Amino acid sequence: MVSRSYSNLLDLASGDSLSFGRERKRLPRVATVAGVLSEYDDDNSNSVGSDAPSSVAQERMIIVGNQLPLRVHKKENGEWDFSWDEDSLLLQLKDGLGEDFEVIYIGCLKEEIDPRDQDDVAQTLLENFKCVPAFIPPELFSKFYHGFCKQHLWPLFHYMLPLSPDLGGRFDRSLWQAYLSVNKIFADKVMEVISPDDDYVWVHDYHLMVLPTFLRKRFNRVKLGFFLHSPFPSSEIYRTLPVREELLRALLNADLIGFHTFDYARHFLSCCSRMLGVSYQSKRGYIGLEYYGRTVSIKILPVGIHIHQLELVLNLPETELKVAELQSRFMGQTVLLGVDDMDIFKGISLKLLAMEQLLLQHPDKRGSVVLVQIANPARGRGKDVQEVQSETYATVTRINETFGSPGYKPVVLIDSPLQFYERIAYYVIAECCLVTAVRDGMNLIPYEYIICRQGNTKLDKTLGLDQTNPKKSMLVVSEFIGCSPSLSGAIRVNPWNVDAVAEAMESALIYSESEKQMRHEKHYKYVLTHDVAYWAKSFLQDLERTCRDHVRRRCWGIGFGLGFRVIALDPNFRKLGVEHIVSAYKRTKNRAILLDYDGALMMSSSISATPHTEAVGILDSLCRDPKNIVFLVSGKDRNTLVEWFSSCEKLGIAAEHGYFLRTNDDEEWDTCVSIPDFDWKHIAEPVMQLYAETTDGSSIEAKESALVWNYQHADPDFGSCQAKELLDHLESVLANEPVSVKSGPHIVEVKPQGVNKGLIAERLLSTMKQKSMLPDFVLCIGDDRSDEDMFEVIMSAKDSLSPVAEVFACTVGQKPSKAKYYLEDTTEILRMLLGLATASEQEAARNAIQSSFHRLAIGDK
């Protein structure tokens, strides 16, 4: 069986795209063969830089979800009937985007469509609903949804590990391949409709977590947001997933990633730090990760409900009649309400046990308190769902048999589908709503309950309430659900503690009327102001802010398969060509060369820090050229550097980030700043020692001029936390000392004030100027933050350079930097330096030959 797509993908390869805001065209049929997509599939030939002008005038949002916000019904004559699903969050969020936005939806239909009808259905949905359906073959969809999504991702994100085949099952690589294939089909659908320079794309939930990679690979500057509607587990749970890094890197190809709570975001950030080495920063209230020159923003905002829709249902005559019926049915009884899906994470059985405990401990509640449990059909399927159903039925039966009496059932279980207005009616009459899920992404049941308890005039009359009195409600919610932090007036419980839940239920019943009214008012104000429109509008505003600089950045796509990522850099930042720099080298006479050793000349793949023989030979060759002054800059101590580079007699060395320096082997060591004493070490070292002892994997490196606490081999989170504490501690005890305390990658360093690598560049340029040797060639290579000081000096030192000087500030790797050039790694740096050394040797050979001829000519005379 094949799935259908509805545009000529050959046009897309040339960067063309369709505009749905204009003329409607019938799209040609193009079959997308459903099969296994290799995660290493990579075709960068179709990568689009999004530089073509757009023809779309109206702003547009492409919303991508697993299911389209449509209801599907097949008529008796075989024709399909479609209508909007008013309960769909994807449809409701449109209210927050404003009238200026055109919205296109991409997703699957809830019914299987015959392949012969797919073209007509797609055209109908496009013209009437602006929906683009993704038709997934049933077998592939089953592996994707019921397989990878529901057997692997969903249980893991809800903290259930596959410890045995019965608990989620072992990881199945074929299900992962199906997940990739479906995400690729969704990506093709987006490509059919997107105008990459103008459109925003908003992807929803864990079903489509690798979609950002496919889209970023095709359109490097796509404006892309992702929102996760489920929990994100702690790193200890998430790290068990065999494809953990692939999913993280895929999400980081989005511009904005949204979570319901700070806990979910914190777990995601921790995973990025521990597994990818990507750390986050908070700037002016915004959390962002720097990922290859791109800032990936993190949004923390729980979703809201569509209040207007609820109010419409509250006003229905059917709702009023149902409320009257329920009031009569439960006359003289207090109703506690639970509304949950029948799955293992909703905690239905724990809630029932708490009800049993309540009736056992408080006999006076028997006959007067009823728990109505509405059990919606489970979204998944499997043995675990059957076990939950069996346990639920057995517990309900036991409670009713033990505590029931003629005309009284303590627990009313409703496991048949209810109309929305019927559920609303139960909200209206319930004195307290119980949500005891053991893990849930958000759960909007409490929000709906609050709005329904506010009611309206007609329902007040039906219930016989005084409209002048404030409304009241009570909530008992699990601390493990996403809405819990937002509901500060709710009674929060640990659902696993059955006794505590029973006590909370009893407290909710005996609170005073004024207390219930106050809690209701607090919740009502929050839910009213944080509805789904507010959530969507806030997300869009952050997405616009994050994507504001897309146009002015140059983008490169690197990596294969799911390791693909985009590097976004300044337009003037480019790779240093060997031919270009060698050409400039050959035509200049006064050259200044500054080379950082750590990271730039030291092989990153080597465990040993000792320099490679080839690197030492190249440096020696450069130093022998009389036109060159070469300085090696390093954070290492001077004795180590002298031992390593003793063969380079004319090499200038700056040790300990420039505190010690000498111009060549014949000179004595000098210091760049004057330090009267190092008494501060007696203060700093005991403090560092304390942190080294309490942080496993950390160590202290004592230099002549500095002390360094290194936590590279410690736990990343604990090490980072300890580093912040140590930084504050040292700044406090050394406040009156002439030192600076700074943090860097996995280090906290204390060194004399004013010491930095920029001083070496200043010293070198000023010395050459004093000797009337204005440099006409400057090369500076470094790889980390400490080298940026050198770049800044040479880029701004116009007075110390020849008017025709050629300056090459070069960093290692493609990343944001003050340098204008980059080389990928140490191998490329050595290749470039070898080119310069070869040019020097060739010039020396030519000079030797010319000198010989000159001497011979003089001898002949």
Side-chain angles (χ1 to χ4, degrees):
M1 196 71 70
V2 296
S3 63
R4 310 288 184 184
S5 8
Y6 296 92
S7 128
N8 192 334
L9 297 183
L10 295 177
D11 291 341
L12 291 175
S14 62
D16 295 335
S17 59
L18 295 173
S19 171
F20 290 96
R22 312 287 182 182
E23 179 184 357
R24 306 294 184 190
K25 295 182 179 180
R26 183 170 183 82
L27 303 174
R29 293 172 59 176
V30 177
T32 303
V33 178
V36 176
L37 175 72
S38 170
E39 62 186 276
Y40 301 106
D41 173 58
D42 187 80
D43 183 8
N44 285 328
S45 61
N46 287 342
S47 183
V48 172
S50 310
D51 292 326
S54 170
S55 60
V56 180
Q58 186 181 15
E59 286 190 296
R60 191 166 63 174
M61 174 72 80
I62 299 174
I63 297 176
V64 191
N66 179 44
Q67 288 189 339
L68 288 171
L70 295 173
R71 289 193 173 96
V72 185
H73 172 68
K74 195 168 188 177
K75 300 178 182 178
E76 293 182 0
N77 60 6
E79 294 182 357
W80 290 101
D81 180 57
F82 302 97
S83 60
W84 288 116
D85 182 358
E86 301 292 341
D87 296 335
S88 171
L89 176 67
L90 300 188
L91 180 64
Q92 294 172 358
L93 67 81
K94 187 177 179 180
D95 289 359
L97 303 182
E99 296 180 357
D100 295 338
F101 266 88
E102 178 187 4
V103 177
I104 299 290
Y105 291 102
I106 295 177
C108 297
L109 290 169
K110 298 175 184 178
E111 298 288 340
E112 184 182 346
I113 306 296
D114 190 289
R116 294 170 296 181
D117 300 331
Q118 288 178 3
D119 279 345
D120 293 331
V121 167
Q123 192 66 29
T124 299
L125 295 182
L126 179 61
E127 293 177 350
N128 298 335
F129 299 93
K130 293 184 181 177
C131 290
V132 179
F135 297 114
I136 313 297
E139 184 179 352
L140 180 63
F141 184 83
S142 179
K143 287 184 176 181
F144 156 72
Y145 184 77
H146 297 291
F148 192 78
C149 291
K150 288 299 182 182
Q151 287 184 28
H152 293 318
L153 288 183
W154 190 73
L156 188 79
F157 280 18
H158 289 75
Y159 287 74
M160 188 173 82
L161 291 174
L163 299 176
S164 70
D166 292 335
L167 296 174
R170 304 302 189 198
F171 184 79
D172 188 337
R173 182 66 59 171
S174 68
L175 300 182
W176 165 242
Q177 295 293 347
Y179 185 80
L180 292 177
S181 296
V182 171
N183 274 252
K184 183 64 169 63
I185 291 174
F186 271 82
D188 291 340
K189 292 298 177 183
V190 176
M191 293 173 194
E192 291 175 9
V193 300
I194 190 172
S195 174
D197 283 333
D198 301 281
D199 295 347
Y200 291 90
V201 181
W202 189 354
V203 182
H204 289 265
D205 223 3
Y206 62 92
H207 314 91
L208 303 171
M209 290 177 72
V210 297
L211 181 56
T213 288
F214 292 128
L215 295 180
R216 184 72 61 191
K217 186 176 179 182
R218 183 67 173 85
F219 303 112
N220 290 167
R221 294 196 192 98
V222 63
K223 295 179 280 191
L224 177 59
F226 179 92
F227 199 95
L228 183 68
H229 294 275
S230 77
F232 195 94
S234 71
S235 60
E236 292 304 307
I237 298 293
Y238 180 79
R239 70 196 307 176
T240 63
L241 187 64
V243 290
R244 60 191 189 184
E245 292 187 10
E246 290 89 332
L247 290 180
L248 288 178
R249 292 193 184 279
L251 288 179
L252 290 177
N253 275 318
D255 294 299
L256 178 65
I257 307 173
F259 299 92
H260 286 306
T261 73
F262 173 70
D263 276 347
Y264 303 161
R266 177 169 57 87
H267 294 157
F268 173 76
L269 294 171
S270 176
C271 288
C272 289
S273 174
R274 289 173 175 269
M275 297 165 208
L276 303 181
V278 179
S279 57
Y280 74 93
Q281 289 182 330
S282 181
K283 295 180 180 178
R284 297 184 179 180
Y286 296 107
I287 300 175
L289 300 101
E290 288 298 323
Y291 188 62
Y292 292 94
R294 294 173 49 247
T295 298
V296 181
S297 295
I298 302 298
K299 178 74 173 177
I300 302 170
L301 184 67
V303 70
I305 60 174
H306 197 287
I307 296 174
H308 180 63
Q309 180 191 349
L310 272 178
E311 290 175 342
L312 288 177
V313 178
L314 284 169
N315 282 316
L316 291 175
E318 297 94 322
T319 305
E320 187 179 351
L321 290 173
K322 187 65 179 179
V323 168
E325 175 195 328
L326 294 178
Q327 184 186 30
S328 173
R329 177 180 174 184
F330 296 107
M331 183 70 68
Q333 297 176 337
T334 301
V335 176
L336 306 178
L337 178 66
V339 181
D340 305 278
D341 292 345
M342 184 75 80
D343 68 50
I344 57 175
F345 298 114
K346 293 303 187 286
I348 294 178
S349 59
L350 296 173
K351 187 188 305 179
L352 295 174
L353 292 175
M355 180 64 180
E356 185 177 36
Q357 191 76 356
L358 175 70
L359 297 175
L360 191 63
Q361 295 179 349
H362 301 278
D364 57 303
K365 298 291 189 291
R366 301 172 190 175
S368 61
V369 177
V370 176
L371 171 63
V372 176
Q373 177 61 55
I374 299 174
N376 303 318
R379 301 180 190 180
R381 60 190 184 190
K383 185 178 179 182
D384 56 338
V385 174
Q386 297 173 359
E387 290 176 350
V388 169
Q389 289 175 334
S390 300
E391 183 181 9
T392 299
Y393 295 145
T395 307
V396 170
T397 301
R398 184 180 71 246
I399 293 173
N400 286 338
E401 288 178 351
T402 304
F403 302 102
S405 60
Y408 170 68
K409 292 173 64 176
V411 178
V412 177
L413 178 64
I414 303 173
D415 58 355
S416 57
L418 290 179
Q419 295 290 332
F420 189 40
Y421 77 89
E422 293 179 298
R423 194 174 86 197
I424 295 297
Y426 279 102
Y427 285 144
V428 171
I429 63 134
E431 185 74 13
C432 176
C433 182
L434 309 171
V435 182
T436 57
V438 296
R439 190 72 59 177
D440 207 350
M442 183 59 194
N443 201 312
L444 296 174
I445 297 299
Y447 289 11
E448 293 179 350
Y449 169 71
I450 294 297
I451 296 299
C452 293
R453 286 292 287 180
Q454 185 67 19
N456 56 40
T457 304
K458 289 194 298 183
L459 292 177
D460 288 347
K461 291 180 180 179
T462 302
L463 295 170
L465 298 177
D466 185 349
Q467 298 180 26
T468 61
N469 289 337
K471 300 302 173 62
K472 61 179 181 177
S473 64
M474 285 300 298
L475 284 170
V476 175
V477 299
S478 165
E479 61 191 49
F480 301 121
I481 64 176
C483 67
S484 175
S486 306
L487 300 170
S488 56
I491 303 176
R492 298 192 183 101
V493 295
N494 174 3
W496 299 102
N497 188 339
V498 174
D499 290 335
V501 176
E503 289 177 11
M505 294 165 68
E506 205 264 339
S507 297
L509 295 172
I510 64 174
Y511 272 150
S512 65
E513 294 295 297
S514 60
E515 180 74 15
K516 294 178 181 179
Q517 292 166 357
M518 183 179 67
R519 291 175 183 251
H520 172 80
E521 182 181 3
K522 187 175 187 179
H523 289 155
Y524 182 68
K525 285 181 179 178
Y526 176 83
V527 175
L528 198 64
T529 55
H530 292 74
D531 62 353
V532 67
Y534 171 84
W535 171 76
K537 182 180 179 181
S538 181
F539 189 90
L540 175 60
Q541 287 174 343
D542 275 17
L543 184 59
E544 289 174 333
R545 175 187 54 81
T546 303
C547 300
R548 196 174 296 148
D549 294 334
H550 275 22
V551 176
R552 71 175 189 86
R553 289 190 174 272
R554 293 179 65 192
C555 297
W556 290 269
I558 63 172
F560 296 95
L562 293 178
F564 176 85
R565 61 263 188 208
V566 165
I567 296 175
L569 299 168
D570 188 274
N572 297 321
F573 190 72
R574 58 189 183 276
K575 190 167 186 176
L576 181 57
V578 176
E579 297 82 4
H580 175 50
I581 192 172
V582 169
S583 174
Y585 183 84
K586 289 179 177 179
R587 61 176 179 265
T588 50
K589 298 179 180 179
N590 297 318
R591 311 181 189 116
I593 301 175
L594 287 154
L595 304 173
D596 170 59
Y597 175 72
D598 314 275
L601 293 181
M602 185 177 69
M603 290 288 186
S604 58
S605 59
S606 174
I607 298 177
S608 173
T610 307
H612 196 274
T613 306
E614 180 187 7
V616 177
I618 292 172
L619 284 178
D620 188 36
S621 180
L622 290 172
C623 291
R624 289 199 304 269
D625 190 326
K627 297 180 180 180
N628 294 344
I629 296 180
V630 184
F631 252 95
L632 187 73
V633 186
S634 174
K636 301 191 180 302
D637 64 272
R638 53 181 172 172
N639 294 329
T640 300
L641 294 174
V642 167
E643 179 185 347
W644 287 350
F645 298 98
S646 58
S647 61
C648 304
E649 297 179 358
K650 296 183 178 181
L651 176 66
I653 296 178
E656 300 189 15
H657 295 303
Y659 179 73
F660 294 109
L661 73 158
R662 71 177 190 187
T663 55
N664 57 58
D665 199 18
D666 298 329
E667 299 289 334
E668 294 295 325
W669 285 97
D670 192 9
T671 57
C672 63
V673 294
S674 177
I675 304 295
D677 59 62
F678 289 92
D679 291 344
W680 56 266
K681 284 189 176 183
H682 300 301
I683 303 173
E685 190 163 13
V687 176
M688 284 190 172
Q689 190 63 44
L690 174 64
Y691 283 81
E693 291 173 357
T694 57
T695 310
D696 188 34
S698 68
S699 60
I700 300 174
E701 181 184 357
K703 302 178 181 179
E704 289 184 69
S705 67
L707 287 173
V708 180
W709 183 73
N710 188 308
Y711 61 96
Q712 183 176 2
H713 302 296
D715 178 88
D717 286 344
F718 183 56
S720 177
C721 179
Q722 290 288 79
K724 292 175 184 177
E725 290 291 330
L726 175 58
L727 189 70
D728 290 341
H729 197 158
L730 289 172
E731 286 178 341
S732 175
V733 299
L734 298 172
N736 298 321
E737 300 294 331
V739 295
S740 62
V741 184
K742 293 187 176 181
S743 62
H746 302 110
I747 66 165
V748 174
E749 183 176 25
V750 183
K751 62 183 180 180
Q753 287 179 349
V755 175
N756 63 70
K757 293 181 180 179
L759 292 177
I760 305 304
E762 291 177 354
R763 176 76 70 92
L764 174 58
L765 296 180
S766 63
T767 301
M768 294 183 72
K769 184 178 181 180
Q770 290 171 6
K771 296 180 179 179
S772 300
M773 298 172 56
L774 287 179
D776 52 6
F777 176 96
V778 181
L779 170 63
C780 182
I781 300 178
D783 77 314
D784 64 17
R785 172 63 189 86
S786 64
D787 300 308
E788 296 294 317
D789 296 325
M790 289 195 297
F791 298 150
E792 186 174 10
V793 169
I794 68 168
M795 296 297 291
S796 59
K798 295 181 180 179
D799 295 339
S800 301
L801 303 178
S802 166
V804 293
E806 300 202 51
V807 179
F808 298 91
C810 178
T811 189
V812 183
Q814 301 181 48
K815 59 178 180 285
S817 171
K818 293 173 183 175
K820 296 298 181 185
Y821 297 93
Y822 73 91
L823 289 171
E824 292 290 358
D825 51 29
T826 304
T827 302
E828 288 195 353
I829 292 172
L830 292 177
R831 188 183 302 124
M832 183 270 294
L833 293 177
L834 179 61
L836 302 184
T838 301
S840 289
E841 292 171 356
Q842 290 173 348
E843 183 179 11
R846 285 195 302 271
N847 291 339
I849 294 172
Q850 290 174 1
S851 178
S852 298
F853 277 126
H854 183 64
R855 286 195 300 271
L856 288 173
I858 294 175
D860 291 341
K861 292 180 180 179

